[in-house]
Amino acid sequence: MITGINSEDRLVQKTFADHLRDALGWDSVYAYNDETFGPNGTLGRSNERDVVLVRDLRSALERLNPKIPQSAREQAIEKLTRVNLSRSLLQHNHEFYGYIRLGVPVEWRDQQGELQRERAQVIDFRKPLINRFLAVRELKVQGVRVPHYNRRADLVCFVNGLPLVFIELKAVYLNIRAGFDNNLTDYLHEHSIGHSFHHNAFLIVSNGDRARYGSITSEWEHFAEWKRNDEREKGGVDAEVLLNGMLAKDRLLDIVENYILFDDSKPGGTRKIVARNHQVLGVNNAVAAVSRQEELKERYPPEQRLLTYTIPRLPLAADPHMGSGKEIESFVVEDDADEDLPLVKRVHPDLGRLGVFWHTQGSGKSYSMAFFAEKVRRVVPGNFTFVIMTDREDLDDQIFRTFVGCGVADDKTPRATSGEDLQGLLGQNHRFVFSLIHKFNQDVTRPYSERDDIIVISDEAHRSQGGKFARNMRLALPNASFIGFTGTPLFKYDHLTRRIFGGYISRYDFKRSEEDQSTVRLVYENRGEKLGIARPDLNDRIAAKVEEADLDPNQTALLEKLLGKDYEVVTADDRLDKLADDFVEHCSTRWESGKSMLVCIDKITCGRMYQRIERRWMAKIAQLRVSIAQLEARQAATGDADERERLAKQRQRLADQAAWMDSTIIEIIISEAQKEIQDFQKWGIDIIPHRVVMKTGFETADGKRVAVDDAFKDPQHPFRIAIVCAMWLTGFDVECLSTLYIDKPMKAHTLMQAIARANRVYPGKECGVIVDYNGVLKSLREALAQYALGDDDDGGGDGEIVEPIAELVRALVQAIEAAENHLKQCGFEPSRLQGAKGFARIEALRDAVDALCVSDEVKRRYEIMARQVFARFKALLMEPSSFAYAARHDDIEAIYKKLEEKRDTADVTEVLKELHKIVNEAIRAQQPGEDHAEGLTVDLSQIDFEKLREEFAKKTQARGAPGYPRRC
């Protein structure tokens, strides 16, 4: 370089400093060789070991705390500048962050001798301009530990004298990772200038073109880009975008105050979490929704929030929802067509609805919830209670651990243990309450709480919102506000979720998360095709065997349900044998890549696969040891030094692989069920030792126990292969999980949530691999297309997407009357169930089922009508107008479930075993060999979402709203 025009100093450092000064309003100082020391020096430092600009800090404390005496302010300075050599960098940083955010605790005695305590504010987060923002270039710093290394920081950003942001800059033609590997990692070492980071909020590394930021505990893989300052922007990687987004005065203080957490809930010790770009934008949108909600509540007092009115009931032919409706039409009575229907609606459609927060799986949704709750508490006036609502125990446990691990909640935070417990907790004034939606299992005769400062955070908002528990929750908390967090989008015809929560307040989709490197790319590999399933005359032979078995109607219904899922093929012995062969070969080959999860169709199949995999796993280890012995013999026999070295490396690699396989723990992870001992014994499986492990975990070297979920999340623990069917497929984050094997039919939300188990960022992990044994590619493409379609709709709830309430109520009433009239024609009077309890209700349900079971046709027609009632009631579930019809809906549902009970309790185990024999004969497969099941491989990050959008748009529109009548 001749001129030096492209050097780190002349181009990059100066450009950054000038931008901070000219565009963002910072003061700027060039310190290298120009700095003078002392109280009146350039920065007020006494020497190069000082990293806090005490002169600026003292001035800020005086300005922000005029009522606190000088002696107390000096206490604050002493606490903020104290370096304890027995404590780590992270410990200092955590403590000082608390001082910066909450104030420094100080005390003094007043003139009467009374002890006074207060927190001295260090930064005014509400009035950014009252603080001093100073950028210092080329700051010399000397270590406080022997041997007192000297380093020169490129750019340090001070707020009120505290070094909050450290920027490492490289020349424009250098890779920015060099700034992390060669500089930041050295500076952060305790024997270097680690004390420079005691007050640090976040680190930035850049070459002037590209830039990334992270925390003092971040590995390089967790350094993120800041691409946009509005969700609607396409985004770019320019360093200027990051500076404007993170170092504008108001934005920097927002991040420092609201978007930093210290999490000790994960293996490996405490991590400092700085929110990613999408989390800051999304949570700010969510907090703004809370502020709007507060404005609405102030405008409309509680007694004015509901409007009551009536609408005329239309005859069936005039109802646009009913379509042809042949199953319902003949059972609707017209006698009351002139009666008006009472309706209730909110005075404003957004009352109680905060919106849907859709951030794709793996993008830090649990942290976003914590950021959201914390920021609401700090910036929105009020005394809020947050009810964290999930639908699975493992998901509830994970979010609880995250909140406790981050200090947002503590281990005494209440978690509802029953419906009665939940009722009591919601009647009290807790900051957080954790509960499963299933705890709303009691009929609500009066609200648990009428407070309007309760915010319900519903995780995976599209699930479990359509049943009685969800309805009870709304009745129990009539004035609460609801926000839905989800990892999958609202599909175009998802009326219910919009009615409950409102439209999107934040969206961060699958493709954008990969582009931003918030998640790793996923690679799809189809290995099922080469298993060679063929079924020439299979259906006829199965039908003959079913007929021969002489099943009763309930057994036949259950078997038809299973056969409709290709259950007899998926679970056939020969097929599972071939799958186990391939799994062991594939998994053992990828032994260095991380942990693995196999998804089976049901619990029994998990056990059957475990038996097969365990035998083949041991055989593979024995095979490796034979190969190692052969290589040792060849190595001893050869006189060629190069060949001997090559064989030694090959032998060592096989020895490492064998050692890895030998130490690997494989375990079943399934939910507990009644009769599971007997059910597994029918297939020759002893579930008890597996259940012991699932309940008690694994023993550690020091004699303690580690839970199975913690062991699987820990990259160092040998529990490396989990065999599951439903548990751990949603809301279970394992960063080191690299391969997901799918042998279960899945679609839409469930499929997308499952494959996302493998998309978490982890050091050295370039991609997650999805191995398909079940042919889910078509479903995967459709689910991805629906993701793309989600972008087209703002989910706002206006227009034709959400039907008018009046029309929905008419449709519901007609469906209920049709089902009730069908029961009457069968000789059962539905009014017997109204208000009935105890044995009287049990007897009435039994009589209703007996009346319907006179023929398959009569029963089938009732089931169709009942499903119409369910779909139409679900569309109105959270509307006050639906509550008047809840009891009639529940009576129809109770009869429907009683009919299902007879089917689902039937035992078809022996018949399935006979069917497996038939299927086994029809299955042909290649013999296992080296990677013998090569099939289609697709890099999902390269999918053209626009083409998928075009391909599936017409199909999605043609289907209309599933389970809901279409317009004529």
Side-chain angles (χ1 to χ4, degrees), residues 20 143 361 382 736 845:
L20 289 170
Q361 297 98 335
C736 55
L845 286 173

Side-chain angles (χ1 to χ4, degrees), residues 697-714:
F698 304 100
E699 186 172 353
T700 59
D702 57 3
K704 297 180 180 179
R705 309 293 297 185
V706 57
V708 288
D709 52 347
D710 290 334
F712 199 62
K713 291 178 181 180
D714 183 356

Side-chain angles (χ1 to χ4, degrees), residues 85 87-89 141-151 185-198:
L85 297 182
R87 306 185 75 201
S88 69
L89 163 58
V141 181
Q142 186 180 72
V144 294
R145 295 176 186 263
V146 176
H148 305 302
Y149 284 109
N150 294 296
R151 297 290 184 263
T185 53
D186 170 64
Y187 299 158
L188 287 162
H189 196 280
E190 63 179 8
H191 283 287
S192 182
I193 56 170
H195 70 299
S196 299
F197 302 92
H198 284 181

Side-chain angles (χ1 to χ4, degrees), residues 38-283:
N40 298 316
T42 308
L43 301 173
R45 294 200 298 168
S46 59
N47 56 58
E48 291 180 352
R49 294 185 189 178
D50 288 350
V51 293
V52 174
L53 308 184
V54 174
R55 186 173 64 194
D56 282 358
L57 177 59
R58 181 174 286 113
S59 175
L61 286 167
E62 184 175 349
R63 188 167 62 250
L64 300 178
N65 306 276
K67 296 182 179 180
I68 294 179
Q70 177 66 28
S71 61
R73 294 198 292 267
E74 291 300 319
Q75 284 180 43
I77 293 173
E78 191 277 330
K79 287 187 176 182
L80 282 165
T81 56
R82 182 189 303 159
V83 177
N84 185 339
L85 297 182
S86 67
R87 306 185 75 201
S88 69
L89 163 58
L90 182 59
Q91 288 172 322
H92 279 98
N93 190 263
H94 196 173
E95 180 183 34
F96 288 155
Y97 176 67
Y99 293 163
I100 292 168
R101 186 169 181 255
L102 303 174
V104 186
V106 295
E107 60 182 37
W108 70 95
R109 293 194 178 275
D110 60 20
Q111 293 179 348
Q112 287 73 38
E114 296 290 331
L115 185 65
Q116 303 294 323
R117 291 186 173 90
E118 189 60 82
R119 282 188 175 268
Q121 300 306 308
V122 182
I123 294 174
D124 191 326
F125 291 104
R126 301 293 166 264
K127 300 175 183 176
L129 298 182
I130 208 172
N131 306 288
R132 188 188 186 203
F133 295 79
L134 173 66
V136 180
R137 289 172 61 197
E138 298 283 358
L139 181 71
K140 287 185 177 180
V141 181
Q142 186 180 72
V144 294
R145 295 176 186 263
V146 176
H148 305 302
Y149 284 109
N150 294 296
R151 297 290 184 263
R152 193 169 70 226
D154 292 333
L155 191 58
V156 181
C157 298
F158 294 86
V159 179
N160 292 344
L162 300 177
L164 297 188
V165 183
F166 194 102
I167 305 178
E168 176 61 28
L169 298 169
K170 308 307 292 181
V172 71
Y173 47 80
L174 292 178
N175 188 306
I176 61 174
R177 177 154 188 176
F180 175 81
D181 290 339
N182 301 332
N183 300 94
L184 285 180
T185 53
D186 170 64
Y187 299 158
L188 287 162
H189 196 280
E190 63 179 8
H191 283 287
S192 182
I193 56 170
H195 70 299
S196 299
F197 302 92
H198 284 181
H199 309 82
N200 181 264
F202 54 87
L203 315 167
I204 296 174
V205 58
S206 177
N207 61 4
D209 176 23
R210 304 179 71 89
R212 290 192 179 199
Y213 71 97
S215 79
I216 57 170
T217 63
S218 296
E219 298 288 345
W220 175 249
E221 287 80 3
H222 288 95
F223 267 67
E225 296 170 334
W226 187 283
K227 288 191 170 184
R228 56 191 66 83
N229 293 317
D230 189 295
E231 284 191 353
R232 293 166 293 187
E233 296 173 4
K234 184 177 180 181
V237 296
D238 297 343
E240 185 178 357
V241 177
L242 182 145
L243 289 178
N244 293 336
M246 300 191 76
L247 295 183
K249 294 178 180 179
D250 56 341
R251 291 178 182 271
L252 172 60
L253 295 191
D254 186 28
I255 292 171
V256 172
E257 180 186 16
N258 301 304
Y259 292 102
I260 292 174
L261 296 170
F262 291 81
D263 183 9
D264 62 6
S265 68
K266 291 180 169 59
T270 302
R271 304 181 187 184
K272 183 177 181 180
I273 306 297
V274 181
R276 290 177 176 257
N277 185 188
H278 65 274
Q279 292 173 312
V280 173
L281 299 180
V283 170

